[in-house]
Amino acid sequence: MSTSPASDQISSMMHETRVFSPPPEFSAGAHVKSLAELQSLRTQAESNIVGFWEDRARDLSWFKQWDTAFQWKNPFAKWFAGGKINASYNCLDRHLGSWRRNKAALIWEGEPGELRTLTYQTLHYQVCQFANVLKSLNVHKGDVVGIYMGMVPEAVIAMLACSRIGATHNVVFGGFSAEALRDRMNDSKAVCVITQDGVYRRGAFVPLKPAVDQALSQVETVKHVVVFQRNPDAEISMTIGRDHWWHQRTAAVDGNCPAEELDSEHPLFILYTSGSTGKPKGIYHTTGGYLTQAAYTTKVVFDMRDDDLYFCSADIGWITGHSYVTYGPLMNGTTVLMYEGVPNYPAPDRFWDMIERHRVTILYTAPTAIRSFMKAGESHALKHDLSSLRLLGTVGEPINPEAWIWYHTYIGNSKCPIVDTWWQTETGAIMVSPFPGATPTKPGTATLPLPGIMADVVRKDGTPCEANEGGYLVVKHPWPSMLRTVFGDDERYIKTYWSDFPETPEHIGYYFTGDGARKDEDGFIWIMGRVDDVVNVSGHRLGTAEVESALVSHPSVAEAAVVARPDELKGSALVAFVTLKTNADTTMPMNELKEQLRNHVAKEIGAIAKPDDVRFTEALPKTRSGKIMRRLLREIASGNAVTGDTTTLEDFSVLENLRTADDE
Ligand code: WT7
């Protein structure tokens, strides 16, 4: 990737330039109340980064203090080594000695509408019971346990029961196929799988257990399966000797199960994520450092208070569900709203209806969801009283300024700060984000690295970029919640994350995020997307995310994905896949609209960014987590056959349609 500054001049021209300062009423009650206060935390962290994180670690409950706060054996880190700690204890037991034992930990809403509330005391009881179930099935400290479930409280109970006894959980998103589950169980050598008969999704009961049966026919290591019964009327087959009903096993055990005193570096979980190759990577996280950063970021980024009702729409199958549905909020004694189903069932206003009924105060969701709400129209939100909301968050991809403004205006009633949080499965916890009571925000940027996080934008040679010069997003000092390795593959860990910016006599190696970014004149970080999504057109680098942002700012466009295809003259040419809003003007000839969109991009960014080709499609192919499958689009754009792993496709028909459109 070149470091030509041209694209950066381009990008600075198109961004929403308004600055949104934290509302004074919000700042007054916030944990961090001003920029000055935030700056002093930053200065403190810069003068002693390890000491800064040690102070944060002291907010947790340790059975034994650590001996060494930080150890580095390039590129392998240890945080708080010698310390003894337990994640489940920090989420549950530490609250039982206070009034919080009777506070709601989880308020759960099923898609059909059932409600369940679990207090910290009852959640503790159920976790202890289930931990005893695992023990009765010979699951020991150090064993890996697969969790293949939907969004039910038992999924959280399963995670906490594992961590209570020192078993390492490996959660596989319930939307993944049997093949994906099989590969993840085999790669991690899981000994047990926790699942459920099925889940409610878009009004239907979707079975999960058959996928487990299919997967396990090719897994040797799994000896036991525990099945939570979501629907007593569902008929499922149970393999005698291997499969056990959750309710039957828990009825047979007591609720006494002290938390294991585990080493700080004991593996808490493995979570698989896609890399640039077909084989997913098992991102390996440990305990003390992960908990420290998950707890701290939950407190300061979401400004968590005891009277909040916090709703994070992420599935526990993703890192967001680990850090910001389960561990972070529960360590803070938060009340978490957990929802089973899809956002638009039975109607497009399901989220707004839930927010009104439960009086949700904090909403954390993804730009892709916001854009689909936008597409459905604000009338659905305006029907509801959303005045309980005080803070909004986003994560997962760059948010285009139009979606930011829409979120701010219609969901946040123009009063809620928005925290755009940048992080990754690998980073474990939030790394770059506003502090909602302190940081002025600009739509489209995650703003500044947190205190104690040395994120920066550098050139290929590791030297820092100038303001507005595009480069690579790196982290220059290890952080507590970082991945420790790729499970079973130290080589891949080194190659993927630590070989682009290796150690020099002046500095330790930099962690490479895989993202391209630029820092503006205020030091705010603008993510340009994964570097493989950053393309070089006639020697000018363009963030495909930026071109997409320009396209979706056109009144007719709902969503856009831009990819590169090889071009003899320019190196790469841009191909835009565009879905139109339902209210778009369809009387205009398509060629005219294409030309209009190309000119719109030229107007927003510059002629250089004009897509060479605009293709209209009914929908974009997405993974079940909502990420656009750019690899597939690139192959379609280049006229290649679609190859490789497509197990995460949300809807194969979308891909089929694209290919058919291509043939025409
Ligand atoms: C990649 C990580 C972190 C939980 C969900 C995704 C992109 C993430 C942002 C943001 C711009 C973002 C990056 C990153 N990303 N958050 N706020 N602004 N881009 O986790 O699947 O590990 O993906 O998502 O490209 O590298 P993930």
Side-chain angles (χ1 to χ4, degrees):
M1 189 165 73
S2 88
T3 51
S4 147
S7 62
D8 314 299
Q9 287 158 4
I10 291 164
S11 57
S12 51
M13 279 153 51
M14 63 152 290
H15 288 293
E16 169 73 48
T17 47
R18 264 187 288 171
V19 175
F20 293 77
S21 296
E25 332 62 270
F26 189 100
S27 301
H31 288 301
V32 178
K33 295 179 168 54
S34 66
L35 257 188
E37 203 178 313
L38 176 55
Q39 195 45 44
S40 101
L41 282 169
R42 197 162 271 131
T43 314
Q44 204 183 311
E46 274 159 18
S47 69
N48 180 1
I49 186 166
V50 173
F52 174 84
W53 286 116
E54 280 187 284
D55 285 345
R56 312 283 90 78
R58 284 191 194 98
D59 287 341
L60 303 182
S61 303
W62 295 80
F63 300 118
K64 175 183 171 288
Q65 277 294 298
W66 53 91
D67 303 318
T68 322
F70 174 62
Q71 278 170 36
W72 181 246
K73 223 175 124 205
N74 187 31
F76 298 94
K78 286 186 179 171
W79 283 87
F80 313 119
K84 297 278 189 192
I85 190 165
N86 184 289
S88 175
Y89 185 95
N90 274 275
C91 290
L92 302 168
D93 307 50
R94 73 190 309 227
H95 305 306
L96 302 186
S98 78
W99 65 271
R100 281 190 199 86
R101 73 185 186 83
N102 292 325
K103 181 178 173 178
L106 291 180
I107 297 176
W108 175 80
E109 181 163 319
E111 196 187 70
E114 318 96 299
L115 294 175
R116 281 169 65 190
T117 300
L118 282 84
T119 65
Y120 276 92
Q121 189 77 59
T122 54
L123 183 60
H124 173 264
Y125 180 75
Q126 296 193 33
V127 167
C128 288
Q129 267 192 318
F130 196 69
N132 283 334
V133 168
L134 291 176
K135 284 184 184 170
S136 76
L137 297 174
N138 286 320
V139 176
H140 300 291
K141 174 175 155 182
D143 287 342
V144 174
V145 174
I147 298 178
Y148 185 66
M149 302 181 82
M151 288 296 279
V152 289
E154 281 68 19
V156 171
I157 292 170
M159 291 165 83
L160 294 173
C162 287
S163 53
R164 192 161 193 88
I165 64 173
T168 300
H169 56 72
N170 174 3
V171 183
V172 178
F173 174 54
F176 276 136
S177 65
E179 289 79 5
L181 177 64
R182 175 198 62 201
D183 293 348
R184 286 157 175 77
M185 294 302 102
N186 279 330
D187 194 70
S188 65
K189 302 181 179 63
V191 301
C192 175
V193 172
I194 304 163
T195 187
Q196 61 190 83
D197 45 4
V199 295
Y200 284 98
R201 201 178 150 78
R202 227 178 287 281
F205 188 71
V206 181
L208 273 186
K209 176 68 166 45
V212 175
D213 294 334
Q214 197 189 325
L216 294 189
S217 68
Q218 292 172 29
V219 180
E220 304 266 293
T221 49
V222 171
K223 302 297 174 220
H224 295 284
V225 176
V226 187
V227 186
F228 167 67
Q229 188 175 53
R230 173 72 181 97
N231 175 6
D233 297 329
E235 291 216 359
I236 67 158
S237 76
M238 298 286 278
T239 303
I240 292 166
R242 185 195 70 180
D243 298 351
H244 316 274
W245 284 110
W246 178 298
H247 56 278
Q248 288 176 357
R249 296 297 299 206
T250 48
V253 293
D254 66 28
N256 298 316
C257 179
E260 281 282 327
E261 302 192 4
L262 302 169
D263 289 336
S264 178
E265 283 297 330
H266 186 78
L268 178 59
F269 65 88
I270 303 169
L271 182 62
Y272 284 77
T273 187
S274 307
S276 45
T277 71
K279 186 179 187 286
K281 301 176 277 199
I283 303 301
Y284 188 84
H285 281 287
T286 61
T287 310
Y290 171 81
L291 294 179
T292 297
Q293 198 173 328
Y296 177 63
T297 51
T298 301
K299 179 175 166 190
V300 297
V301 173
F302 298 113
D303 190 48
M304 209 59 93
R305 293 194 311 219
D306 261 318
D307 56 358
D308 274 316
L309 178 57
Y310 163 84
F311 175 31
C312 169
S313 69
D315 192 281
I316 46 113
W318 312 115
I319 189 69
T320 310
H322 285 56
S323 304
Y324 299 108
V325 173
T326 307
Y327 291 110
L330 296 179
M331 279 188 286
N332 279 279
T334 304
T335 302
V336 177
L337 175 66
M338 187 177 188
Y339 169 59
E340 179 182 44
V342 299
N344 55 1
Y345 184 84
D349 67 342
R350 180 61 181 261
F351 269 25
W352 321 130
D353 183 47
M354 281 198 296
I355 289 169
E356 177 172 17
R357 277 189 286 110
H358 294 283
R359 311 305 293 156
V360 170
T361 61
I362 304 172
L363 171 65
Y364 190 31
T365 191
T368 184
I370 297 166
R371 286 196 300 270
S372 67
F373 295 138
M374 227 176 130
K375 183 178 177 184
E378 54 270 11
S379 61
H380 301 290
L382 294 172
K383 278 198 300 227
H384 293 279
D385 175 6
L386 305 181
S387 61
S388 56
L389 287 170
R390 67 181 195 93
L391 177 63
L392 304 175
T394 76
V395 62
E397 56 183 312
I399 180 162
N400 50 299
E402 290 68 30
W404 196 104
I405 296 286
W406 187 90
Y407 196 32
H408 182 257
T409 309
Y410 296 110
I411 308 308
N413 194 19
S414 304
K415 71 164 190 181
C416 300
I418 296 180
V419 287
D420 175 350
T421 59
W422 178 90
W423 58 295
Q424 311 175 296
T425 304
E426 290 88 342
T427 70
I430 294 169
M431 304 287 278
V432 181
S433 168
F435 276 49
T439 318
T441 51
K442 306 179 198 178
T445 164
T447 74
L448 300 164
L450 303 190
I453 300 300
M454 302 299 154
D456 202 358
V457 179
V458 300
R459 302 184 181 118
K460 217 178 180 78
D461 65 3
T463 56
C465 287
E466 303 283 329
N468 287 323
E469 177 188 347
Y472 302 93
L473 183 64
V474 299
V475 188
K476 294 183 167 178
H477 190 286
W479 62 99
S481 63
M482 64 186 270
L483 79 167
R484 298 304 193 253
T485 189
V486 171
F487 183 72
D489 199 346
D490 286 351
E491 275 313 305
R492 190 167 179 196
Y493 169 70
I494 295 167
K495 186 166 173 295
T496 310
Y497 304 107
W498 300 95
S499 53
D500 290 279
F501 303 96
E503 197 171 44
T504 70
E506 283 78 43
H507 63 75
I508 65 172
Y510 298 159
Y511 167 85
F512 179 40
T513 63
D515 280 348
R518 71 182 170 96
K519 284 205 304 193
D520 69 15
E521 40 297 308
D522 297 320
F524 284 24
I525 295 177
W526 297 77
I527 305 293
M528 297 165 75
R530 305 291 301 189
V531 284
D532 34 10
D533 296 334
V534 175
V535 291
N536 196 319
V537 181
S538 304
H540 299 287
R541 210 178 52 205
L542 290 164
T544 51
E546 295 179 290
V547 183
E548 290 161 9
S549 180
L551 284 166
V552 295
S553 74
H554 187 280
S556 297
V557 175
E559 211 166 12
V562 175
V563 296
R565 68 167 152 77
D567 183 275
E568 262 177 28
L569 275 180
K570 306 176 172 184
S572 297
L574 295 178
V575 180
F577 292 86
V578 169
T579 64
L580 295 175
K581 281 194 187 141
T582 37
N583 63 355
D585 176 8
T586 46
T587 57
M588 184 187 298
M590 281 299 153
N591 278 342
E592 210 172 305
L593 183 57
K594 279 185 188 178
E595 213 34 47
Q596 224 189 59
L597 293 182
R598 296 180 70 239
N599 289 332
H600 181 72
V601 173
K603 183 176 121 298
E604 291 286 313
I605 306 180
I608 179 72
K610 261 187 164 182
D612 291 81
D613 197 352
V614 177
R615 299 191 191 185
F616 297 108
T617 166
E618 285 290 308
L620 294 168
K622 288 184 187 165
T623 63
R624 302 200 188 203
S625 69
K627 274 200 205 309
I628 294 165
M629 301 187 82
R630 289 166 203 288
R631 181 176 57 77
L632 292 175
L633 291 177
R634 270 197 295 273
E635 290 185 28
I636 293 165
S638 316
N640 295 338
V642 174
T643 54
D645 175 23
T646 58
T647 52
T648 60
L649 260 185
E650 168 80 58
D651 180 359
F652 283 98
S653 65
V654 168
L655 178 58
E656 282 309 317
N657 290 340
L658 280 169
R659 293 167 78 180
T660 319
D662 205 35
D663 293 340
E664 281 164 10

